[in-house]
Structure formats: C-alpha cells, structure tokens
Amino acid sequence: MRKYDEFHKSVMVEEVLKFLITKDDGIYVDCTTGEGGHIKAIYEKTKGKAKIIGVDLDYEVLEIAEKRLKEITDKIDFFKASYTDIDIVLHGLGIEKVDGFLMDLGVSTFQLKGENRGFTFMKDEPLDMRMDPDSDFTAWNVVNEYSEEKLSKIIFEYGEEFKFARRIARSIVNSRPLNTTFELVNSVKRALPPKERYRRKRHFATKTFQAIRIEVNGEFNNIKTALEKFPKFLNTGGRICVISFHSLEDKIVKNFFRNHSELKLLTKKPILPSDEEIKENPRARSARIRVAERI
Ligand code: SAM
C-alpha cells in the first residue's frame, strides 16, 4: 500500500518520448517500469495504439504502476522480471521484434520512501537495499561479510568516494556487526573529519549508500547483460533509450553504443535535463540520456 503522497517524478519525459517513439502502433518495452510514469506518458503520446510491456523486478513497485495505469487502460503487460531476462519475457509473449527499449536506471521514489527497504539514510531500518525483494543477498551481507579491501574498492568505484573510501571501509569493519541503516550512517560519520561532513552539499553517507546499493543489486553487470540482448530484438529503426544517473553507468552505455556496428548513435553527446526540470525535480540533476538506433 502507498505510504506517501506523491508518485515518483519521472525524469526527462519529453526527451524520452521524442527519441523512443518512432511510430504510434509500435511495441515498446519499459525495462524499469517503477511507478509507471514513463509508461503513462508513452501510452498517452501514442494515443493508446502502442503495445507496451512493463518490466520491473520489484513486485511492490510494479503493483503501484499496475493500479495507477489500470485507471486509464488494461492493455499494458506487466512482468516481474529482471531486464537481464528480457529475452525470456519476449519469448514468453511470442514477440520477436520490438520498436524500443527504455531503461531509467536508479531507484524509484517508492523504494526510497517505502517501508523497511533500507535504501535511505533518512530512516532507521534493517540493512536491505534489494530492488528484488525475492533475492536473498542484502546490504547486510555486503556490510558485514565483505573484506575491508573489497568494501573500500566498491565505495571508491561505485560511490566515487575518492578520498575517504579506505577510512570508511575500515570504520565499517571495526563497527561490525551492523544491522541498521543508522548504524551504517554512524560508522561513515566516524570515518569522516567533521570539516569534511559539513563541507558536503549532500548527506555525508550518500556516496557510501549508493555504492552498497549498486553492489547489492549487481547494477552495472545487469546493465551490460541487458544491453547485449537488446539489438537482436529491435526492428530496423527501433531504438534503445537509456537514462543514467551515475558516470560509470553512462560510460557503460556510451561504450556499448559505440562498439556495436548494428547500432547508430543518435546522441553524440548525452542529453541533459533542462534547468527548469532540475529546479522542479532535483533528482533529475545527474540524469543523462543516450539513444541508439538499430540499422
Ligand atoms: N521510469 C519509472 C517511472 O517513471 O516511474 C521509474 C524507474 S526507477 C528510477 C528504476 C526502476 O528500475 C526501479 O523500480 C527498480 O526496481 C527497477 N530495476 C532496477 N534494476 C532492475 C532490473 N535488473 N530489472 C528490472 N527492473 C529493475
């Protein structure tokens, strides 16, 4: 059940529609349905003529999208699956080719604000951070079972916590066992000099939480696996549109598009959100879109 007032604010909706939709009666797959904001926009833009498939591995968030969209249509097919299994989903539907794949990476507002998901340092909850509630690997495993070296590496790379990764990893290891998000926040706090904590524009634990979330969900490997599968399922002229929020995600997408001869890059430089959108939705600040077309 919904425990907060607003739906997730979908980012860069106009830009997604402009690049993803090549024909109203096409087949479009939203690989990261979340609360269904982009799907709603695609449905409206194509005047209900498109076939839309919504995939997400979080059944709680998928339920919200389904309920939200049921009010306007019952024609959308929702699947609780990872986008890494997109081939299985499409085969199951008997679909050989589609006209567009959309990926909007990162976390949804539901996951951040939902109860006991453990994604946020704003609430004291068990260390979880699973996007797939059926998975049995959680933030608890990363925080309590990884070596100091391995923790330091993911905090450095995935969190881009360049200067303090080692100190944070050491502090986590010395604070074990850690069971809750606030215990993790406190061990990050102990690792950072007060001056550094106050200097930061964002919460001082943001980067560490991001790193652990990426590790728990194997996010970067999943993106690579899914991208490799998309081209085979695209009609000529069909598109892959990816919204990323992390420089390493963006790098994966950029390199993939550049190195695939069956794809033509439509965005030489990534498309960024307008100042207006950033003002309205600060989460859009780090969003960037890259698009490629099947030739
Ligand atoms: N575009 C959505 C909207 O407008 O409401 C928001 C998407 S949200 C930023 C990202 C979603 O991707 C989350 O709901 C998350 O569960 C989902 N996700 C993350 N990894 C996934 C994966 N491997 N397969 C399918 N969905 C995934």
Side-chain angles (χ1 to χ4, degrees), residues 123-138:
K123 292 191 287 181
D124 198 15
E125 294 181 337
L127 284 168
D128 191 324
M129 301 197 201
R130 287 168 303 164
M131 287 186 178
D132 181 354
D134 290 335
S135 151
D136 51 16
F137 184 68
T138 70

Side-chain angles (χ1 to χ4, degrees), residues 7-11 13 30-40 55-59 61-62 65 68 79-85 102-111 117 119 130-133 217-219 222-223 226 243 245 283:
F7 284 113
H8 173 92
K9 269 199 187 90
S10 304
V11 301
V13 174
D30 186 341
C31 296
T32 50
T33 296
E35 299 185 39
H38 284 110
I39 291 196
K40 184 168 179 283
V55 171
D56 203 297
L57 43 64
D58 185 340
Y59 56 79
V61 88
L62 212 49
R68 177 185 189 185
F79 288 91
K80 192 266 173 199
S82 170
Y83 47 62
T84 53
D85 291 330
L102 170 65
M103 292 173 106
D104 174 15
L105 305 169
V107 200
S108 86
T109 305
F110 175 81
Q111 289 165 332
R117 301 298 299 263
F119 282 105
R130 287 168 303 164
M131 287 186 178
D132 181 354
N217 297 290
E219 293 179 31
N222 286 347
I223 298 167
I243 310 172
F245 292 84
R283 202 184 74 84

Side-chain angles (χ1 to χ4, degrees), residues 43-181:
Y43 178 81
E44 285 163 359
K45 174 79 177 175
T46 56
K47 303 170 211 77
K49 292 181 193 155
K51 178 169 181 58
I52 306 173
I53 298 150
V55 171
D56 203 297
L57 43 64
D58 185 340
Y59 56 79
E60 293 188 358
V61 88
L62 212 49
E63 211 183 326
I64 291 180
E66 201 168 352
K67 273 197 193 135
R68 177 185 189 185
L69 285 151
K70 271 257 160 68
E71 288 170 18
I72 49 174
T73 176
D74 56 3
K75 275 171 48 187
I76 296 159
D77 289 310
F78 291 101
F79 288 91
K80 192 266 173 199
S82 170
Y83 47 62
T84 53
D85 291 330
I86 203 67
D87 43 351
I88 299 172
V89 172
L90 293 177
H91 283 143
L93 283 168
I95 294 176
E96 282 174 15
K97 299 278 179 196
V98 305
D99 298 289
F101 287 106
L102 170 65
M103 292 173 106
D104 174 15
L105 305 169
V107 200
S108 86
T109 305
F110 175 81
Q111 289 165 332
L112 275 178
K113 297 199 173 173
E115 304 228 322
N116 281 330
R117 301 298 299 263
F119 282 105
T120 173
F121 41 77
M122 306 295 282
K123 292 191 287 181
D124 198 15
E125 294 181 337
L127 284 168
D128 191 324
M129 301 197 201
R130 287 168 303 164
M131 287 186 178
D132 181 354
D134 290 335
S135 151
D136 51 16
F137 184 68
T138 70
W140 189 95
N141 298 98
V142 174
V143 166
N144 288 292
E145 293 172 349
Y146 276 26
S147 68
E148 185 178 319
E149 195 60 35
K150 199 166 169 193
L151 267 178
S152 166
K153 191 169 178 284
I154 63 166
I155 296 170
F156 182 90
E157 271 180 34
Y158 301 169
E160 301 186 309
E161 178 71 84
F162 301 125
K163 204 167 160 202
F164 293 98
R166 255 176 201 290
R167 287 174 66 155
I168 294 171
R170 192 169 314 133
S171 174
I172 290 175
V173 170
N174 289 338
S175 320
R176 282 172 179 168
L178 284 113
N179 292 305
T180 70
T181 45

